[in-house]
Amino acid sequence: MNDVAPAHTPAPAPRRARVRAPELIGKGGWLNTGGKELTLASLRGKCVIVDFWTFCCINCLHVLDELRELEEKHRDTVVMIGVHSPKFVHEAEHSAVVDAVERYEVHHPVLDDPELATWKQYAVRAWPTLVVIDPEGYIVAQHAGEGHAHAIARLVEELEAEHEAKGTLRRGDGPYVPPEPVATGLRFPGKALLLPSGNLLVSDTTRHQLVELNEDGESVVRRIGSGSRGFTGDSFSEPQGLALLPDGRVVVADTVNHALRTYDPATGTVETVAGTGRQWWQGSPTSGPALEVDLSSPWDVAWWQGKVWIAMAGVHQLWTWDPADGTVEAAAGTTNEGLHDGPAAEAWFAQPSGLAAAGDRLWIADSETSALRYVQDTPDGYVVTSAVGTGLFDFGHRDGDAGQALLQHPLGVTALPDGSVAVSDTYNHALRRYDPATGQVSTLATDLREPSDAVLVGDDIVVVESARHRLTRLRLPEEAVRVAAVAHRTQRAATDVAPGTLRLDVVFQAPTGQKLDIRYGPSTRLLVSSTPPELLATGEGAGTDLFRELALNPDVTEGVLHVSAMAASCDDDPSNEYPACHVHQQDWGVPVRVTADGASRLPLVLAGMGDEG
């Protein structure tokens, strides 16, 4: 297989490899097929795009949206297959996968692979990963991360023409069978807000609406939004966070539209106040007039210190929107995914998804690190601190001292009157409490179903039970619930690597008809770090080459390599002064174990065909 092209040299057009695709197997079985088992033999004659995803992963959700147009345009020749490959323990539950397929409107067959059997057969290393299989059952391309829809669309057109000519293309309907719709008042609600009237406003995420409920939390007063995906008029696309502005309007995190909207309960008016509808990519502006700057999957919003703070889940940052001057700017986070405290500009987050303002602190549910964190305004500027959580790969349900307590993918946080905070511990189906005064974590309630937010109403707390499609009112308990402690680590197998020097290669082959964009300097970026930091003796840091010599510390035998890669390619058309350009990017967290017979080279495929099959 081709090695990595140096950053300063355009990669040659790849010769299409012929690698037989392994069978698709998963203990959880098939969804969206009407109960039928699918095999690659039954899909022969179709272009098959296999999407390895997991429903916690914001990048996976981006890819689902990126591919909707291609899926619709080529529906008679292309079969999309989702292979759900869980990171968290909760994601291995079949019922949770069923919910996620409906929640995110996945309109193609999905294989539930809780034991990562197909993931291992395809040597996948990251979510999301896309594999293209031609109509004769051979793998012809692999892509990790986001930004590949244009390349896959072009490849599909080439495969259609090639196999139409060979007589090996089969047109017609695919195997997708939609499930029966279920009637409920809400459908996977995301966040809730107490209005001055005493009513509750809820983001009815899967129905792309806001719903105002009576004080009872059940009776519908009004629905806001068309109920279909859209970015015009009062249409939303999977709205999430809600926050009340001083002027009485509600600001809405319109997540899949990559925008902030406002809703005026007095007039019913919906207005776009930030975002363009396009997703932010590396190199885009990080400040400026709010309606001219791209955003990326804003998941929650909170009014704090005279601005709206935004949990920008799609780029692992916090941003602000200032209604007074109509500007947005990045306020905390580097876009690197992980858990790193310190000055706001240097902090690392991992899919921040919940915010709550409390005095001089802004609390954050940092979902992918299973962490509770906060931003504090200090004389030296904003500083980020972790209260609970240690990183991307440790999670569970453990109470007690915050230093050893565990959460599992929390999506919401709520400030309580006594100075403590309630955490919607989503994948543990629990409501947890952290008390800064004692440094203790406890459990307030269990037997919730994917709680994603909670709001105080008098002496009660109203929990958004997202997967039960309802709001649940609880009296704030005086005593914690006793829960048996469990601890987990991500179930991906570690990669065996040899001691000494490890060659890291990020494989990137520019799509057909494109070349690396070197008009303004290097078009690639590579960032490497590790957990623990002592795993790497040398080799950490940023650079522009897509390869790196890493020196492993002989005193550390296992850990995680964090690799972030980006490449920009443009249409190779000399006659066009302004060719269309595309950004490809992916973050990997690769568990490694140092052994004498391990590999001395670690290839990671960003786009193209690697050398692992």
Side-chain angles (χ1 to χ4, degrees), residues 237-474:
S237 189
E238 296 184 27
Q240 286 283 349
L242 307 167
L244 193 65
L245 297 175
D247 63 9
R249 291 180 300 162
V250 176
V251 61
V252 182
D254 195 4
T255 304
V256 175
N257 278 328
H258 308 296
L260 298 188
R261 319 286 290 282
T262 55
Y263 162 63
D264 189 339
T267 64
T269 303
V270 174
E271 181 183 2
T272 301
V273 294
T276 63
R278 297 183 301 269
Q279 183 183 341
W280 186 94
W281 289 99
Q282 290 287 348
S284 300
T286 56
S287 64
L291 292 171
E292 298 175 15
V293 177
D294 300 340
L295 308 181
S296 182
S297 295
W299 205 275
D300 202 7
V301 282
W303 179 258
W304 187 54
Q305 297 197 334
K307 295 181 180 180
V308 171
W309 286 68
I310 310 163
M312 202 73 78
V315 286
H316 317 300
Q317 288 181 306
L318 304 182
W319 286 41
T320 60
W321 168 56
D322 187 343
D325 62 14
T327 60
V328 293
E329 65 176 339
T334 64
T335 76
N336 297 323
E337 183 179 15
L339 190 151
H340 179 71
D341 292 338
E346 301 171 13
W348 292 23
F349 297 95
Q351 217 168 297
S353 301
L355 299 175
D360 68 345
R361 290 185 180 184
L362 178 69
W363 292 96
I364 307 150
D366 201 27
S367 62
E368 279 293 288
T369 52
S370 298
L372 172 65
R373 309 173 73 185
Y374 60 89
V375 178
Q376 193 163 21
D377 190 5
T378 75
D380 296 324
Y382 291 118
V383 174
V384 177
T385 303
S386 296
V388 182
T390 58
L392 287 163
F393 298 95
D394 293 290
F395 53 90
H397 192 144
R398 182 194 286 151
D399 290 328
D401 183 77
Q404 54 85 53
L406 293 172
L407 308 170
Q408 187 180 179
H409 197 80
L411 291 178
V413 59
T414 308
L416 300 179
D418 65 358
S420 67
V421 291
V423 179
S424 295
D425 194 6
T426 310
Y427 287 4
N428 279 327
H429 310 300
L431 190 67
R432 311 286 294 282
R433 176 177 179 264
Y434 168 68
D435 185 353
T438 64
Q440 295 292 300
V441 175
S442 56
T443 298
L444 297 175
T446 59
D447 194 31
L448 303 168
R449 187 68 185 172
E450 291 193 20
S452 54
D453 195 22
V455 58
L456 284 173
V457 181
D459 293 330
D460 296 338
I461 189 164
V462 175
V463 180
V464 180
E465 279 199 89
S466 189
R468 281 199 177 115
H469 319 292
R470 71 186 189 193
L471 304 187
T472 298
R473 185 182 294 259
L474 304 172

Side-chain angles (χ1 to χ4, degrees), residues 532-546:
E534 296 77 21
L535 175 65
L536 289 179
T538 62
E540 73 283 352
T544 57
D545 289 326
L546 290 181

Side-chain angles (χ1 to χ4, degrees), residues 103 105 107 185 187 204-211 222-239 254 257 261 270:
R103 181 194 298 264
E105 297 185 305
H107 294 163
R187 206 69 193 160
D204 197 14
T205 303
T206 297
R207 292 207 176 111
H208 314 296
Q209 291 182 316
L210 310 181
V211 179
R222 65 177 57 84
R223 292 183 177 274
I224 302 98
S226 65
S228 299
R229 292 178 183 272
F231 192 42
T232 58
D234 64 354
S235 294
F236 299 94
S237 189
E238 296 184 27
D254 195 4
N257 278 328
R261 319 286 290 282
V270 174

Side-chain angles (χ1 to χ4, degrees), residues 14-19 48-50 52 122 129-134 138-144 151-152 155-156 159 509 605-610 613:
R15 179 178 62 84
R16 191 167 294 157
R18 298 280 285 178
V19 179
V48 179
I49 301 173
V50 182
F52 290 89
Y122 280 76
T129 291
L130 298 165
V131 176
V132 182
I133 302 172
D134 73 11
Y138 291 93
I139 295 174
V140 292
Q142 180 174 329
H143 302 267
I152 293 175
L155 176 57
V156 164
L159 291 173
Q509 296 158 342
V605 178
L606 178 61
M609 288 289 289

Side-chain angles (χ1 to χ4, degrees), residues 2 37 39 55 61 83 85 95 97 132-133 153 197 208 228 252 265 274 303 401 431 453 525 567 585 590:
N2 292 337
E37 298 285 323
T39 63
F55 64 78
L61 304 185
V83 177
S85 313
S95 61
V97 181
V132 182
I133 302 172
S197 66
H208 314 296
S228 299
V252 182
W303 179 258
D401 183 77
L431 190 67
D453 195 22
R525 186 190 70 161
Q585 64 181 43
V590 183

